[in-house]
Amino acid sequence: MSSVAVLTQESFAEHRSGLKDFENTGRVPEDEAYIPTYLEAFPPLPDKGSPGEKTGEPAGAWSKIRPIKASVITQVFHVPLEERRYKDNSQFGEGEEAKVCLDIMQKTGAHIELSLAKDQGLSIMVTGKLDSVMKARKEIVARLQTQASATVLIPKDHHRFVIGKNGEKLQELELKTATKIAIPRSDDPNANIRITGTKEGIEKARHEIQLISAEQDKRAVERLSFEKSFHPFIAGAYNRLVHELSQETGARISIPPPSVPKDEIVITGEKEAVAMAIARIRATYEEKKRKTTTISVEVKKSQHKYIVGPKGNTLQEILENTGVSVEMPPLDSASETIILRGEPDKLGPALTQVYAKAKSVIVVEVIAPAWLHRFIIGKKGQNIGRITQQLPKVHIEFTDGEERISLEGPTEEVEQAQAQIQEIVNDLMARMDYAEINIDQRFHRHLIGKNGANINRIKEQYKVSVRIPQDSERCGLVRIEGDPQGVQLARKELMDMAQRMENERTKDLIIEQKFHRTIIGQKGEKIREVRDKFPEVIIIFPDQQQKSDIVQLRGPKNEVEKCAKFLQKLIAELVESSFSISVPIHKQFHKNIIGKGGANIKKIREETNTKIDLPTENSNSEMIVITGKKSSCEAARDRILAIRNELANLKEAEVSIPAKLHNSLIGSKGSLVRSIMEECGGVHIHFPAEGSGLDKVTIRGPAEEVERAKRQLLQLAEEKQVNNFSVELQAKAEYHKFLIGRGGANIRRVRDRTGARIIFPSPDEQEQENITIMGKEEAVWLAQRELETLIKNLDDVIEDSMIVEPRHHRHFVCRRGQVLRELAEEYGGVAVSFPRTGTHSDSVTLKGPRECVDAAKKRIQEIVRDLESQVSVEVLIPQRYHRAIMGPKGCRIQQITREHEVQIKFPDRDESAAQEPQENGDTDFIPRKCDIIAVTGHAEKCELARAALLALVPVTIDVEVPYDLHRYIIGQKGIGIRKMMEEYEVNIWVPQPEQQSDIIKITGQVDSVERAKQGLLERVQELKAEQEDRALRSYKVTLSVEPKFHPKIIGRKGAVISQIRKDYDVNVQFPDKNDEQQDAIVISGYERNANEARAAIEQLVTALQDMVSVDTRLDRRVHARIIGARGKAIRKLMEEFKVDIRFPQPGSEDPNKVIVTGLPENVDNAIDHLLNLEEEYMLSVTETETMAAYMKPPSKTMGTGGNDEDNKALAKGFVVRDAPWNAQGNKAPDMSSAEEFPTFGSGIAPKQASAWGPKKC
């Protein structure tokens, strides 16, 4: 194999860069117009010589060139004659080998050259990129070189075992033997398997295939052909007979299913087993062929599926019951003939069963408009679900777009379902209607509103269903369905909304982006106020990343203008408030300007209404920036400078006060020290951190005030020193509560007698036994002696007992001994022991300090007396009200037990007890155990609790509300009725629509029920008032106006008609395109408003009738200038002259024609102005066109008016002088010549020698 280098465009550029030094010697001129010679452009290679021999000058040039890396390689290999696949040498280069090579070259991109050796072997040279060469070589070996092959013959039946499941066995065999194994197709009579590969691999593959065949020879396969009609008898019902036969004989029996048109039964297995199975099957076949006969019956094709049954189960059932096989015609056949095959005496019962199955199911259709289908189905399938639950065997099918409903099932049930659905259809047709309106798709999202607000309001208000198509449907058809009146009202409102949106206008405001955040406000609160003020205007701010100053307003023209003025005023205020000044303040004074907790700076900000920014602590800047109105900023600056000037005279003093007095000097929540600071002119007093142990207190402020505060602080400290004598004594933690006493009674007595303050440790302190006594020295010693006496008595532990009746024991030990724990905590840890349950003892043992034991005994006796004075009262309330009385999580019962200090026990629920309905006030019912609630406590409190329980018993009242108002009371998705139930804490029951009842039931507590009744009646009055108002607003007036005036009455984007609608609070409806009366305008609203609106339109029409339209001609080149950006200029002109100006559409016959409409005088003035504008703009247009003629780029004029010599120079390319092909008698090769550049495989004609030198073979 050899490699050669190919000079590519990139490597040639690299090559030329190596000649740089050579070019700089002066031999090659640097003038760009200079044409190099052939030797200069392509220096010759150096001649061979001795290593020390000097070469010529060209060699020196080549020595400076960097070596070129090979990007293309060449490989050569040989194919011997005996291995050549194509050996026809008659026309070398044109046979199959050439075709194969061309195909491989196209696939791989490599270049292939073929040549014949003397021994007729094939030499192949492949050139190209490395990966392309390797791919080409692989293809050549496979397609041009032969391989050894052999065949092996095995029975055709064994081929599938060589292939294996999904060809896995064959793949494994090829991989194992490194061969290619070709197995003939099943429909090919040839049984030879061809193996291709090495000799060793072929032998190994042959051996493996013969082993597989030998293994299969031990098994037998038999095929029996019996008529298809006898297969059911051989298989038996549900294939039981064939399964039993397989189990008995061990043979595998394969019977084709009824859907497969084959009559061959395949039996495989051991030879003996197969023979036994064949004998049994033949016997069955002969017997049935001899005994059976057939009859044919005609059954409708639509009923065949009921005879077949699911998965053919019905046919198997008939076969099992009667022994008769039923043969059905194919599904794709039009035949209705069914054949029954069996013994004569069994054909009758089988025929009966066939007819029974055929007639067990019928199919009927109910005609209903397609748009009614979803109402027939009901919400979440409610209506249709009720029918299917009653008649589960009926299948109901709705077909999209078709006006029919299919019912399938048993005859009786289908008839019932048909009657019910027909009744629903008749009812819906009587009370429902639909309408379709075409609204431009771009308005759909505005019709829907934010989160569906608009469309949901319309649905709820008019009780209709509105379907707006998805954006992907690209359809503008909006469908409304529901009550006829509601449909019409909803249609009208949607049309009005669409017309209003068509009348919208858009305005762009230029607002600097730095003000956007201020206008929007924190969390959008400020822009929300603007939007609330102008609800019809949509305000769109640009994305912050866009860096745009354009804020877009969209909505009705007048509202947009008002909103724009408001925002411009707001921007002016912001600009005025954005004035800022910087005040240099020494860093050490910043904290004083801020004040404690920011008090000073906050006060300055609020009083001057400015924004004050101070530098951060770690910043080196001393500038304080003030932003706001100029006057406010100057006032804030003066305030800050005043603080700075005042601080310049500050004095700081230190006072030494014992750390133990600091807390007492500070006072509760700092009240004492704050009073000193306020009294002394705002000085600042700083105490060291608690626990630091430091005695130094710092006072800072004006000199005089500091001295005054220092005197007051020292005087106060001296007073505290005198009264701050303290001692500590030890007492067990469990004694503390007893020393404190119930509600602090004991410790309060000691304080009152001695005047000392006694402090017990808090639960989070480590020393729980230390008690601190503080105050004057005499008072402290006196309190210490009293406490020591009490503690000594507590240390005297005794054991005593008392008598408590066993019936009261449970009160003390229940709830895990909570009462005993409270006694121990309250009385110095005294231990109270009650006898065990079941001992029948009444003796209770107490152990602890004497005083604690005595106090605990006294407390136990009080509890016993209290228990003995309690009574139990039974309250009779029916069980069905218990849950309502308890309230959510028992909250009502818990409140009663807390308020009246009683215990309430509800009985166990009796589920079997009959729930008899009870009328309000009816107490004559048989009491049950489950109706009695037990209340335990003091007699008077039990009575109060009993009254409270009875007050919670719910009552039910009836309120008469007209049926037609029920749906408005319920509200959309029940929101109205739920709100009332939550507000009044009652349950409100509204009758079902089919009952047509006016009675609404309210259940709850008496006062809640009354409030709910009053609220419901008030709501009824509101709804009636709304109905009356709607009736008044439905007054209509029809006005006849010529259609040509309609656009003028509507106005630009509906501005005129919208203003009329707004001023007179009416709805004005113009005729549709398809209406018969094209001149009729319908005005609806209050009678007075409708008449006023009519008068306004008539006045407008009168003015329009005086108008004229005049055609004038304006050069089309100035139209765009007159119209202006987005039509601003022409709109301004039309408003100024009070005329309408129409420009021609693109492609019109006369593009210069402009129509001006208005009052005659205004039209003349407008035309004069337009002609003046045309004259002015035409000067600019002429000048622009003249300049454009001189400014065309040269590339546009090449070939048309340019210099041909320049053009030729541009296209000349790379040129050299003194080239070999320019020598006399030579010429350059012609690339288009087949002789100079022959195609691959074609014959080569001899030709003369050329400048390129002799051809090398």
Side-chain angles (χ1 to χ4, degrees), residues 730-741 746 760-761 767-771 790-791 794-797 820-831 847-849 851-853:
Q730 301 284 327
K732 292 180 181 179
E734 56 265 26
Y735 293 168
H736 291 186
K737 284 200 175 183
F738 181 75
L739 293 173
I740 295 169
N746 296 345
F760 287 85
E767 297 294 336
Q768 289 291 312
E769 295 186 355
N770 288 346
I771 301 173
L790 287 172
I791 293 167
L794 290 174
D795 288 335
D796 183 13
V797 178
L820 297 181
R821 283 199 304 275
E822 291 174 355
L823 288 170
E825 290 175 2
E826 192 172 346
Y827 299 104
V830 64
K847 185 177 181 179
E851 291 191 10
C852 293
V853 169

Side-chain angles (χ1 to χ4, degrees), residues 22 201 244 252 270 288 332 349 360 385 468 536 730 743 818 916 920 922 951 968 997 1013 1056 1101 1110 1134 1141 1156:
F22 176 69
E244 290 173 3
R252 182 181 174 186
E270 298 294 332
K288 292 298 179 182
D332 54 353
S360 62
I468 297 177
E536 295 182 9
Q730 301 284 327
Q818 183 178 350
E916 293 291 338
N920 295 333
D922 183 10
Y968 301 108
S997 173
K1013 179 182 178 181
V1056 177
V1101 171
V1110 177
M1134 288 192 291
I1141 303 172
V1156 185

Side-chain angles (χ1 to χ4, degrees), residues 36-143:
T37 65
Y38 180 80
L39 291 176
E40 289 173 347
F42 303 99
L45 291 170
D47 296 333
K48 291 182 180 179
S50 61
E53 184 182 351
K54 289 186 178 181
T55 59
E57 192 62 30
W62 278 106
S63 65
K64 296 175 184 177
I65 298 174
R66 291 192 296 270
I68 300 172
K69 297 178 182 179
S71 60
V72 178
I73 66 164
T74 300
Q75 285 190 3
V76 179
F77 53 94
H78 302 275
V79 178
L81 176 62
E82 59 271 17
E83 293 184 10
R84 283 181 59 189
R85 180 163 293 178
Y86 308 102
K87 298 177 183 179
D88 184 8
N89 298 328
S90 58
Q91 290 182 337
F92 178 71
E94 295 183 357
E96 288 296 323
E97 287 175 338
K99 292 180 181 178
V100 170
C101 287
L102 284 172
D103 186 42
I104 295 171
M105 286 166 65
Q106 290 176 358
K107 284 184 179 179
T108 62
H111 180 70
I112 302 171
E113 291 186 11
L114 300 181
S115 63
L116 279 177
K118 292 180 180 179
D119 60 354
Q120 296 300 307
L122 193 63
S123 293
I124 304 171
M125 184 171 68
V126 186
T127 305
K129 300 284 187 182
L130 180 61
D131 57 341
S132 300
V133 169
M134 300 311 293
K135 289 178 182 176
R137 179 171 181 173
K138 184 180 177 182
E139 288 281 334
I140 289 166
V141 170
R143 297 173 65 176

Side-chain angles (χ1 to χ4, degrees), residues 456-605:
N456 288 338
R457 177 186 59 77
I458 291 171
K459 288 178 180 177
E460 182 180 1
Q461 183 176 351
Y462 301 115
K463 303 302 174 188
V464 295
S465 171
V466 182
R467 184 191 177 278
I468 297 177
Q470 298 290 332
D471 291 344
S472 58
E473 295 180 22
R474 300 189 179 278
C475 175
L477 199 65
V478 177
R479 186 181 178 93
I480 312 165
E481 298 169 355
D483 179 72
Q485 185 180 358
V487 166
Q488 293 304 318
L489 293 172
R491 178 184 180 276
K492 186 178 178 184
E493 181 162 347
L494 286 173
M495 292 291 289
D496 290 344
M497 288 173 68
Q499 196 167 14
R500 237 185 355 259
M501 282 181 277
E502 286 181 349
N503 297 336
E504 283 185 347
R505 70 161 292 185
T506 301
K507 184 170 185 177
D508 292 339
L509 286 182
I510 306 299
I511 302 174
E512 289 183 50
Q513 195 174 33
K514 65 181 181 180
F515 295 127
H516 290 187
R517 188 183 293 274
T518 310
I519 295 171
I520 295 170
Q522 189 176 13
K523 296 182 180 178
E525 56 193 9
K526 291 186 179 179
I527 197 63
R528 201 177 296 119
E529 293 174 3
V530 177
R531 284 172 173 151
D532 292 341
K533 192 170 183 178
F534 305 97
E536 295 182 9
V537 179
I538 298 171
I539 306 171
I540 303 171
F541 285 84
D543 196 315
Q544 197 169 4
Q545 297 175 352
Q546 294 179 1
K547 304 293 184 185
S548 174
D549 295 336
I550 297 175
V551 177
Q552 193 178 73
L553 309 181
R554 189 171 70 244
K557 181 180 177 181
N558 294 337
E559 291 298 309
V560 167
E561 292 296 333
K562 290 178 184 177
C563 183
K565 289 179 182 177
F566 178 84
L567 287 175
Q568 286 167 351
K569 183 180 178 182
L570 185 64
I571 295 159
E573 292 176 1
L574 288 174
V575 171
E576 184 184 355
S577 302
S578 62
F579 177 82
S580 68
I581 54 175
S582 299
V583 185
I585 301 292
H586 198 275
K587 194 84 172 179
Q588 70 184 43
F589 297 137
H590 284 195
K591 59 182 179 181
N592 304 97
I593 291 169
I594 295 170
K596 188 174 182 181
N600 292 349
I601 199 72
K602 186 177 181 183
K603 187 176 181 182
I604 295 171
R605 284 170 177 161

Side-chain angles (χ1 to χ4, degrees), residues 768-796:
Q768 289 291 312
E769 295 186 355
N770 288 346
I771 301 173
T772 305
I773 308 171
M774 297 178 65
K776 293 184 179 180
E777 188 173 359
E778 293 179 3
V780 169
W781 290 121
L782 186 59
Q784 183 182 9
R785 284 196 295 273
E786 286 200 25
L787 286 175
E788 285 176 344
T789 304
L790 287 172
I791 293 167
K792 186 177 180 182
N793 292 336
L794 290 174
D795 288 335
D796 183 13

Side-chain angles (χ1 to χ4, degrees), residues 709-856:
K710 183 177 178 181
R711 286 195 300 274
Q712 286 196 23
L713 205 58
L714 289 172
Q715 183 181 353
L716 189 61
E718 189 177 349
E719 292 176 4
K720 295 290 182 182
Q721 185 78 21
V722 174
N723 296 326
N724 204 40
F725 183 77
S726 65
V727 295
E728 290 185 353
L729 74 140
Q730 301 284 327
K732 292 180 181 179
E734 56 265 26
Y735 293 168
H736 291 186
K737 284 200 175 183
F738 181 75
L739 293 173
I740 295 169
R742 198 170 186 187
N746 296 345
I747 204 67
R748 200 179 300 114
R749 283 197 297 270
V750 175
R751 284 175 181 167
D752 292 343
R753 283 197 298 269
T754 62
R757 183 181 176 194
I758 303 166
I759 302 171
F760 287 85
S762 59
D764 55 346
E765 291 184 20
Q766 292 182 352
E767 297 294 336
Q768 289 291 312
E769 295 186 355
N770 288 346
I771 301 173
T772 305
I773 308 171
M774 297 178 65
K776 293 184 179 180
E777 188 173 359
E778 293 179 3
V780 169
W781 290 121
L782 186 59
Q784 183 182 9
R785 284 196 295 273
E786 286 200 25
L787 286 175
E788 285 176 344
T789 304
L790 287 172
I791 293 167
K792 186 177 180 182
N793 292 336
L794 290 174
D795 288 335
D796 183 13
V797 178
I798 64 168
E799 186 174 326
D800 198 358
S801 63
M802 63 182 296
I803 303 300
V804 177
E805 292 186 22
R807 62 193 174 96
H808 299 312
H809 289 188
R810 187 176 181 277
H811 174 77
F812 290 93
V813 298
C814 68
R815 299 193 299 276
R816 298 183 179 178
Q818 183 178 350
V819 177
L820 297 181
R821 283 199 304 275
E822 291 174 355
L823 288 170
E825 290 175 2
E826 192 172 346
Y827 299 104
V830 64
V832 183
S833 300
F834 279 80
R836 292 182 178 276
T837 306
T839 56
H840 305 292
S841 172
D842 57 1
S843 177
V844 178
T845 304
L846 296 88
K847 185 177 181 179
R850 182 180 298 277
E851 291 191 10
C852 293
V853 169
D854 292 341

